[in-house]
Amino acid sequence: MSIVQGHNDYVLIITNYLLNYVAFTDYIKDMEMRIDDITWTLDEEPVPKVPALSGAGGCGGGDGTSPQESDYLRHEQLKDERKRLQQNVKDIKTRMDRLAKCFHELDETDQKILEIYYIDGAKSWEWTAKMVNASTSFCFKHGKGALQELANRYFGLRAMPIQ
């Protein structure tokens, strides 16, 4: 039972990747733009700030930090955020690139069925069959087989069911 369950988990992961493929690619684009924004901000030369002289004293903030210290801390926070985002984008992009590579190794008909049903969000075998110009049973059988083949290609031997 656990072998079959593990096998099904790989297919479920691939199904989830396909269902969220557009969201993943949009997320990658958004995070790359955010990384570019952070890089631009970090590359800008900060204008030196001089705390205003006040009869009340203090360094400009209620917490006792000077504007220069605040700028330095913000700069360090941005560097940390950029590093975290770069790693996150790298991880997701690696998965999506691998998925795309494995997807394009499938038969053209299988690609079209998976694309319409999962990526485009048809979620109806009847609509998928109409778009592919085939029977519903053909699309269902090929779709399930293509999903299994995609999981096998993506995860390798781990995803193959043991007979």
Side-chain angles (χ1 to χ4, degrees):
M1 181 68 178
S2 66
I3 293 172
V4 172
Q5 182 62 38
H7 165 71
N8 289 338
D9 288 346
Y10 293 119
V11 173
L12 290 174
I13 290 169
I14 292 298
T15 302
N16 188 39
Y17 283 175
L18 290 174
L19 288 171
N20 294 295
Y21 185 79
V22 173
F24 282 132
T25 54
D26 287 346
Y27 175 79
I28 290 169
K29 289 178 202 170
D30 291 345
M31 289 305 101
E32 286 174 338
M33 287 190 323
R34 175 69 181 136
I35 290 167
D36 289 344
D37 288 346
I38 291 172
T39 301
W40 180 82
T41 302
L42 291 173
D43 289 344
E44 286 296 305
E45 196 65 38
V47 177
K49 294 183 182 177
V50 178
L53 297 176
S54 167
C59 295
D63 61 356
T65 1
S66 71
Q68 292 83 1
E69 289 172 322
S70 295
D71 287 345
Y72 174 77
L73 292 174
R74 178 71 180 137
H75 188 78
E76 291 302 309
Q77 288 171 344
L78 286 174
K79 287 196 310 192
D80 290 344
E81 182 181 358
R82 180 176 63 179
K83 185 177 180 181
R84 182 184 55 78
L85 290 175
Q86 286 171 331
Q87 184 60 46
N88 195 12
V89 166
K90 180 183 174 191
D91 291 345
I92 294 172
K93 197 171 188 175
T94 301
R95 291 177 191 177
M96 291 301 104
D97 289 348
R98 182 171 173 83
L99 181 68
K101 179 187 176 296
C102 295
F103 182 82
H104 291 296
E105 291 173 353
L106 294 174
D107 176 75
E108 189 175 323
T109 303
D110 292 343
Q111 286 180 32
K112 195 68 176 167
I113 291 170
L114 292 180
E115 182 180 348
I116 293 168
Y117 188 79
Y118 292 102
I119 297 173
D120 293 345
K123 296 183 186 82
S124 159
W125 290 113
E126 291 78 17
W127 179 257
T128 304
K130 182 178 178 181
M131 298 304 291
V132 176
N133 198 22
S135 72
T136 305
S137 62
F138 174 87
C139 287
F140 179 77
K141 288 177 188 173
H142 275 265
K144 295 301 178 187
L147 197 60
Q148 177 60 58
E149 178 64 23
L150 187 57
N152 291 346
R153 289 177 186 268
Y154 189 90
F155 291 106
L157 294 176
R158 297 179 298 176
M160 292 189 185
I162 298 175
Q163 300 294 327

